[in-house]
Amino acid sequence: MGWFKRIKEGITTKSTDKKEIPEGNWYKCPECKKVLTSQEHADTLWVCPSCSHHERIGSDEYFYILFDDGKYKELFANLTSADPLNFVDTKKYADRIKATMAKTELGDAMRCGVGTMNEREIVVACMDFNFIGGSMGSVVGEKFAKSVDYAIKHRSPFICISKSGGARMMEAGFSLMQMAKTSAKLTQLADAGLPYISILTDPTTGGVTASFAMLGDFNIAEPKSLIGFAGPRVVKETIGKDLPEGFQRAEFVLEHGFLDLIVDRQHIKEKLTSIFKMLLG
Amino acid sequence: MIAYLDFEEPIKELREQLEKTKEVSEKSKVDVSKAIHDIEKKIKDVTVEIYSNLTPWQRVQVSRHPNRPYTLAYINAITEGTFIEMHGDRTVKDDKAMVGGFGMIDGQSVMLIGQQKGINTKMRQYRNFGMANPEGYRKAMRLMKLAEKFGRPIVTFIDTPGAFPGLEAEERGQGEAIARNLFEMMKLRVPVICIVIGEGASGGALGIGIGDKVLMLENSWYSVISPENCSTILWRSWDHKVEAASALKLTSEDMLANKLIDGVIKEPCGGAHANETEMFSTVKKEILKQIEKLSAMEPEKRIDARIKKFSSMGVVAS
Ligand SMILES: [Zn+2]
């Protein structure tokens, strides 16, 4: 989100119903090249009004979209990566984390919030792609786990918004086991009889697709999101030819039977509200 | 044919020396029994020395040793010819990279499942190099549910360079197939024992890896990515696989120290391929021991413990 400064709020208590964007910034749609002010773009929930291109957004924006009046309480914001393996590649993982935290003003690749959506209390976990490609390490797994516990304790439905390149390599075995951990927690949520809605956004791949993102009672995607296990580059290398048009896009994934719905961002709040009404009354 | 890894060169030379000495003795009828004895002892010493100082990358090489036994070799040895292999996911096809069926181990019936690599060029193609498609994971789940229905314990053998990253695998929901297995395996009412016998690469390995006891053979590896792919992504070159292997902490000792597995099964001196009979017998004993322990628990307690174990994995700061 280079075109506006992320508004850092910690425990958010916003009362305006319009997201305030600093003036003088512009957005150019990468698909149809339409130019909007950043404020106009925010007003359309970061969806291009002429071609419906859904721009990639972060947890801040999704919380603003879902929670009533953009008000929510952030949960487990204090959790950060511990670098359990003292991992070093071309640079130290610890330094990478520090730099990414400073640049993004995020603690890790997932934020969790509780608040109301059309007056029903919901717990939302949302991934941030800006944080090392939305990769899943111990923090993402732990935040997901604690959010499920919170939802069970408060009898709230749980929503997870995925946007991730997969597992975080710098936590190696720990990252891999977050797939098991998040799936384990979802069995507890299911046993508690609470709904779990998985929202898959652009992109959702790797270990996130192969765990919690595909396990929703409802799997819902944003239009044209890239959704897959192996990334398109790897698949292309494997088969040695070009991939068909639309391969691994949300519409393709729905046609093959792995999504329930594709919902435009402007309609997601009302759609979720209807679903919860039908499931829970 | 016996194959040798680069660091096994001294063993190879000694074995060749041993063969020559034996030939000489046959031709000349000279008594060389002492010389043979000496060389055999030397082979043993050198093997011990090499194998007790393996680097993580060398471990990865051993895990892929061309002579290393694969899943069906374990299953056939352990079940002593009683294995009934079952086929198909009942939806799409039979995945040859994933095998499974019932077999008897010392009079007990057990469901045995695992990724299967090919033993020669032709079979490697047939087995898709041990890379399962979604139907492989779904076949595995079908068989696990069957074992659950009849109250039989489940043993999985993990040996895969990863789930297959093909076009059809994506069309048929590779991600969903693995995710579903993670979820369903958590709740299986029968004991589940998972053993990494070779390569445990990523979600493709974990897809049959949710167990009450997850064990690794001493020279197997288990991680989120192979050292080669890790090198390519993080170092942007194929050349850092040795460093990547160390950084990933993928050995059985490291995985145990990080509480990501439950135990390590010792291999014979020189690796599983150096003495298959001994390896099979060790694995069989371990399986029987674990089944006995796990069977003593109530299913609900076992499931609770399984879920708690996986839920507690990870290290964070706050
Ligand atoms: Zn546009």
Side-chain angles (χ1 to χ4, degrees), chain A residues 29 31-34 48 50-53:
Chain A
C29 173
E31 290 296 318
C32 74
K33 315 296 175 203
K34 186 181 171 66
C48 174
S50 59
C51 77
S52 190
H53 169 69

Side-chain angles (χ1 to χ4, degrees), chain A residues 46 48 50 103 110 143 145 151 157 179-180 185 191 211 231 239 261:
Chain A
W46 303 276
C48 174
S50 59
K103 195 179 84 191
M110 180 178 274
K143 282 192 170 186
M179 294 171 64
K185 296 308 291 186
D191 287 346
S211 60
I239 63 169
L261 303 163

Side-chain angles (χ1 to χ4, degrees), chain A residues 203-260:
Chain A
T204 300
T205 61
V208 169
T209 301
S211 60
F212 58 83
M214 274 293 161
L215 292 173
D217 297 322
F218 280 73
N219 289 340
I220 301 176
E222 286 189 342
K224 295 190 179 153
S225 304
L226 180 82
I227 298 163
F229 174 64
R233 192 185 49 80
V234 177
V235 178
K236 194 182 159 186
E237 274 170 24
T238 306
I239 63 169
K241 45 185 173 191
D242 285 337
L243 299 169
E245 181 75 22
F247 179 67
Q248 292 184 317
R249 295 288 161 185
E251 296 71 16
F252 167 100
V253 180
L254 183 137
E255 282 308 311
H256 284 92
F258 298 98
L259 295 174
D260 292 286

